């Protein structure tokens, strides 16, 4: 059967300007002639690199160092539209942005996940989260001010972004307090809703993280679901109450509200997409990143992490370009990825492997060393310079 010929003058509409969205837009722009439009939509005018928020918490980065205006993409021939996505019609490959309907030949949904701190009473009003730029800045000031007491770090639900972040936050807090000479007077405790640290990566990784926490005298309490917070006190599902002087948390997440009426989501409320091609049930519509739930054999979803959104963006861009040229799709997302686990003092571990492996992900962790910290520095600069 003859392949269809090239399609002239197409429009690809990318909803969301996070890691997945900007990678897709850049890669697609490089693979297509300028007769083809690439449009990126985002609610905020600026991109900030979430992977660097913990460095903001430690004072190693400032807001301006990790923020770039998305309109810089226009220099590369990518159209940028700042506005709220009000509706998505995947059957017609259209989206409504601030009341304006935009038609597309190809649609990529990369809207991420929304934080849902309101699911735990008192959480947002009492604690700070290192998952936002504002929260990371406030935590920096508070970690420089605390002299004694307890720093309580929590995952407020089993489902959250970036599996390593809560444990990195604890280790960074340890490094800051040791540097200030007050660590002996300040306890650090992690109370996690999940049954094991980074459990998605398997028992070997969980045990390695436990050992690192123990070496830094960080108390770890797994399977401990918070139910409510008031100043200085957190209540848990087992009836226990824990006192604290500083609360830092990773918030629960929920799907963006606009997805609910789109026809893209399953019973979970998240988008269902092919695990390798990131296609949906609608022709010409792809979904990548945190707004997608990809179930693994072990019963948990693929972690919400920038490394996966990055790789998915590569695959989707290559396949859309092939579709436009009339070629067969050349790329697949294979579930491999890795993340750095910062422990402070210029060192990091690194875990990577095949998250699609069966019956459980096959992941290896490298011991903390300066080389892995440098690797994350290089990744940060690559994203901020190469893509923006």
């Amino acid at each position: 059967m003859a392949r269809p010929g090239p399609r002239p003058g197409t429009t690809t509409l990318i909803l969301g300007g996070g890691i997945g969205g900007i990678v897709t837009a850049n890669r697609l722009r490089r693979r297509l002639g300028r007769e083809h439009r690439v449009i990126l939509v985002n609610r905020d005018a600026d991109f900030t690199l979430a992977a660097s928020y913990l460095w903001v918490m430690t004072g190693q980065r400032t807001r301006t160092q990790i923020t770039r205006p998305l309109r810089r993409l226009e220099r590369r021939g990518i159209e940028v539209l700042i506005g709220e996505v009000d509706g998505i019609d995947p059957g017609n490959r259209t989206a409504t942005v601030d009341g304006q309907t935009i038609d597309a030949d190809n649609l990529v949904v990369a809207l991420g996940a929304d934080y849902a701190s309101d699911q735990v009473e008192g959480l947002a009003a009492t604690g700070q989260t290192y998952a936002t730029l504002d929260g990371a800045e406030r935590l920096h000031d508070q970690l420089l001010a605390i002299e004694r007491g307890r720093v309580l770090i929590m995952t407020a639900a089993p489902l959250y972004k970036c599996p390593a972040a809560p444990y990195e936050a604890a280790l960074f807090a340890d490094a800051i307090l040791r540097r200030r000479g007050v660590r002996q007077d300040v306890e650090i405790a992690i109370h996690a809703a999940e049954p094991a640290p980074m459990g998605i990566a398997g028992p070997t990784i969980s045990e390695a993280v436990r050992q690192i926490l123990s070496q830094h005298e960080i108390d770890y309490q797994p399977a401990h679901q918070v139910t409510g917070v008031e100043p200085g006190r957190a209540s848990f599902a087992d009836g226990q109450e824990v006192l604290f002087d500083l609360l830092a948390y990773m918030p629960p997440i929920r799907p963006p509200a606009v997805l609910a009426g789109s026809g893209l989501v399953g019973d979970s409320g998240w988008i269902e997409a092919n695990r390798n091609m990131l296609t949906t049930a609608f022709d010409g519509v792809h979904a990548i990143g945190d707004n997608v739930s990809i179930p693994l054999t072990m019963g948990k979803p693929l972690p919400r992490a920038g490394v996966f959104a990055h790789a998915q963006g590569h695959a989707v861009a290559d396949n859309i370009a092939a579709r436009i040229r009339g070629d067969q799709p050349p790329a697949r997302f294979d579930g491999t990825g890795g993340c750095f686990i910062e422990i402070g003092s210029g060192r990091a571990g690194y875990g990577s492997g095949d998250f699609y492996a069966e019956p459980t992900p096959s992941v290896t962790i490298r011991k903390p060393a300066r080389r892995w910290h440098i690797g994350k520095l290089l990744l940060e600069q690559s994203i901020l310079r190469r893509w923006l």
Side-chain angles (χ1 to χ4, degrees), residues 180-267:
R180 292 184 52 222
V182 298
R183 179 64 172 93
Q184 69 277 7
D185 298 317
V186 182
E187 177 188 354
I188 299 176
I190 299 178
H191 287 244
E194 57 188 343
M198 298 180 64
I200 187 65
T204 301
I205 302 300
S206 289
E207 182 55 32
V209 175
R210 283 178 184 268
Q211 289 180 11
I212 292 172
L213 296 175
S214 177
Q215 289 165 5
H216 290 260
E217 300 179 288
I218 296 170
D219 179 42
Y220 174 65
Q221 299 293 328
H224 214 204
Q225 176 62 58
V226 63
T227 56
V229 180
E230 58 186 80
R233 186 188 307 269
S235 301
F236 293 84
D238 62 358
Q240 184 180 0
E241 293 186 342
V242 177
L243 303 180
F244 62 83
D245 298 274
L246 172 59
L247 174 63
Y249 68 90
M250 177 60 80
I253 57 174
R254 62 165 65 101
V258 70
L259 297 180
S262 68
L264 286 166
V265 302
D267 293 339

Side-chain angles (χ1 to χ4, degrees), residues 131-153:
T132 69
L133 185 52
D134 289 342
E137 289 177 328
R138 288 190 288 266
L139 279 169
H140 171 65
D141 294 337
Q142 292 174 357
L143 285 168
L144 292 183
I146 190 170
E147 298 289 339
R148 59 181 53 83
R150 175 184 290 137
V151 175
L152 177 60
I153 296 174

Side-chain angles (χ1 to χ4, degrees), residues 180-373:
R180 292 184 52 222
V182 298
R183 179 64 172 93
Q184 69 277 7
D185 298 317
V186 182
E187 177 188 354
I188 299 176
I190 299 178
H191 287 244
E194 57 188 343
M198 298 180 64
I200 187 65
T204 301
I205 302 300
S206 289
E207 182 55 32
V209 175
R210 283 178 184 268
Q211 289 180 11
I212 292 172
L213 296 175
S214 177
Q215 289 165 5
H216 290 260
E217 300 179 288
I218 296 170
D219 179 42
Y220 174 65
Q221 299 293 328
H224 214 204
Q225 176 62 58
V226 63
T227 56
V229 180
E230 58 186 80
R233 186 188 307 269
S235 301
F236 293 84
D238 62 358
Q240 184 180 0
E241 293 186 342
V242 177
L243 303 180
F244 62 83
D245 298 274
L246 172 59
L247 174 63
Y249 68 90
M250 177 60 80
I253 57 174
R254 62 165 65 101
V258 70
L259 297 180
S262 68
L264 286 166
V265 302
D267 293 339
S268 67
W270 301 96
I271 298 178
E272 296 180 347
N274 180 281
R275 70 188 315 206
N276 296 119
M277 308 304 290
L278 289 311
T279 51
T280 68
F282 299 90
D283 183 50
V285 180
H286 293 78
I288 64 174
D290 291 349
N291 56 197
V292 180
S293 182
I294 299 178
L296 304 179
T297 303
M298 68 184 302
K300 296 181 179 180
L302 184 74
R304 267 76 174 186
V307 62
F308 296 122
H310 192 288
Q312 291 167 357
H314 275 199
V316 165
D318 289 351
N319 290 338
I320 289 175
R323 171 187 171 97
I324 291 170
R325 292 192 299 261
D327 298 334
Q328 291 295 320
R332 291 168 61 88
F333 170 66
D334 61 7
T336 60
C339 71
F340 299 95
I341 307 170
E342 293 274 335
I343 68 168
S345 304
R347 295 188 301 144
Y350 183 69
S352 64
D354 179 3
F355 283 80
Y356 282 177
E358 298 182 358
T360 60
S362 176
V363 181
T364 301
I365 190 168
R366 284 79 170 180
K367 292 182 179 180
R370 182 161 178 77
R371 61 184 290 196
W372 303 119
H373 172 69

Side-chain angles (χ1 to χ4, degrees), residues 104-127:
D105 299 278
N106 297 283
L107 181 63
V108 182
V109 185
L111 291 171
D114 290 343
Y115 290 123
S117 299
D118 58 313
Q119 290 182 1
V120 178
E121 184 178 0
L123 184 64
T126 308

